[in-house]
Amino acid sequence: MSGTDGIRDRAADWVVALHEAGEAERAELERRCQAWQAEDERHRRVFHEMRTLWDGLMPERPRRSRAGVLVVWLLIGLIAWQLPWTLWRGDAHTGTGERRVLVLDDGSRLTLDADSAVRLTLNADLRRVRLLRGRLFVKVAPDANRPFQVVTRDGTAEALGTEYSVALEGERTRVAVRESSVRLIPAARPAAARVLHAGEGTTLTRTRSDAPAALPPGRFDWLDGRLVFNDAPLKEVLARLSRHRPGWLLASPALPSDLRFTGVLPADDSERALAVLGDALPVRVRRITPYVVWVD
């Protein structure tokens, strides 16, 4: 998900939460929403756009209307529908809850995670995979005459004969190496390139890459349909799970920030995953429709 998409989703969450809030919790939610808006001018602008659209469609603002949740997300869908989907879908893509393995003409194997898209450039001089959204894992076939590169908006992860994953996460690109090594090249500062070795991971921006760190257990869990978490914030858990189910999985802004989860969830059975979370944590999972789930 791009940074703008993440802001839009968060703004929609705030609009819904404030609409649904009772008198006892409204003041605290208003305070937290104001703090979020103050973090970035884009937060404030997108939030007010969302709220204006909401007010225009629901002038009476009836309280506790679950249908209101759908209104905001239909608006998001309408905005998304206007995006250049031919570009966004790329040469190969996956939908929600789908994984796909591609065998390239050189024998390299490319695995796309759920809700991912790539554009391919394969010629006599170069093998390039541009990640447009989501995450991929690649097992590179040796070819001394054609470099293999995975490129994102932040830079390039060039294989040095290897297996590695590349993911777009918020405002950054995350790279993790399972075998051999990868050269990371920031888009705006090629001279700041560094090499990442097996068992290491880091984040890449347009100007730098962070110092390598040892990979946590389960970094490649999604390849076999598992989602492994170790003391992960609940909102991070829900964000990952949402890539593997249709519709919208919404986390209430009122969820306590200290709610964390350790365990393994099935990526291919999101209903069972939600049941596990409901049993393990003091949360309520509300199925507003089969395609809209609200966790508070």
Side-chain angles (χ1 to χ4, degrees):
M1 178 178 290
S2 73
T4 301
D5 289 338
I7 294 171
R8 187 181 298 122
D9 290 352
R10 185 62 168 156
D13 285 347
W14 279 118
V15 171
V16 172
L18 290 168
H19 175 79
E20 294 267 302
E23 292 301 329
E25 58 183 335
R26 175 172 293 278
E28 174 62 14
L29 280 179
E30 289 278 7
R31 184 191 66 78
R32 291 172 57 188
C33 181
Q34 290 292 335
W36 177 76
Q37 292 179 61
E39 291 173 3
D40 191 311
E41 172 59 23
R42 294 174 300 170
H43 294 184
R44 186 200 64 76
R45 175 175 53 80
V46 174
F47 175 80
H48 284 283
E49 289 174 356
M50 285 287 182
R51 197 157 204 176
T52 299
L53 288 169
W54 175 283
D55 291 343
L57 286 175
M58 301 185 68
E60 296 180 3
R61 299 178 60 81
R63 299 191 58 77
R64 298 287 178 183
S65 171
R66 292 184 176 183
V69 178
L70 294 178
V71 173
V72 173
W73 288 98
L74 285 172
L75 288 170
I76 294 173
L78 180 62
I79 294 169
W81 179 79
Q82 300 176 52
L83 294 174
W85 283 109
T86 301
L87 172 65
W88 193 234
R89 287 164 65 91
D91 297 320
H93 62 275
T94 55
T96 301
E98 177 188 7
R99 290 190 306 280
R100 181 180 177 188
V101 177
L102 304 172
V103 180
L104 305 184
D105 65 357
D106 65 336
S108 297
R109 291 177 63 87
L110 187 68
T111 303
L112 298 183
D113 196 7
D115 191 27
S116 299
V118 294
R119 186 181 302 119
L120 305 174
T121 301
L122 305 171
N123 54 42
D125 302 313
L126 180 68
R127 298 170 293 171
R128 174 174 293 159
V129 178
R130 180 171 292 276
L131 182 62
L132 302 176
R133 73 175 189 273
R135 173 167 54 179
L136 62 78
F137 177 86
V138 62
K139 184 174 183 178
V140 180
D143 188 336
N145 298 317
R146 292 195 295 169
F148 192 104
Q149 300 174 338
V150 177
V151 179
T152 75
R153 65 193 175 223
D154 296 309
T156 300
E158 183 172 275
L160 302 176
T162 194
E163 299 179 17
Y164 63 109
S165 68
V166 180
L168 290 169
E169 297 184 358
E171 305 276 344
R172 298 186 174 199
T173 295
R174 181 170 292 277
V175 182
V177 182
R178 185 157 78 173
E179 183 179 297
S180 191
S181 54
V182 172
R183 180 181 293 109
L184 300 182
I185 308 170
R189 290 187 62 203
R194 76 160 79 230
V195 174
L196 200 62
H197 299 284
E200 295 179 338
T202 192
T203 55
L204 174 70
T205 70
R206 290 184 58 80
T207 58
R208 64 187 293 270
S209 60
D210 292 336
L215 293 176
R219 171 55 65 182
F220 303 102
D221 53 3
W222 60 276
L223 291 170
D224 55 10
R226 298 178 301 121
L227 302 176
V228 178
F229 300 96
N230 181 25
D231 195 36
L234 177 58
K235 291 185 179 180
E236 175 186 319
V237 175
L238 295 176
R240 286 193 64 190
L241 186 58
S242 69
R243 299 178 61 85
H244 298 271
R245 61 172 291 122
W248 296 284
L249 177 57
L250 309 179
S252 168
L255 282 175
S257 59
D258 60 350
L259 276 181
R260 309 181 79 84
F261 176 74
T262 296
V264 180
L265 299 178
D268 299 331
D269 189 344
S270 61
E271 286 299 315
R272 186 156 65 90
L274 287 172
V276 170
L277 290 175
D279 289 339
L281 297 172
V283 297
R284 176 176 55 176
V285 178
R286 292 194 288 165
R287 289 166 179 80
I288 297 171
T289 79
Y291 297 100
V292 180
V293 176
W294 181 259
V295 180
D296 58 13

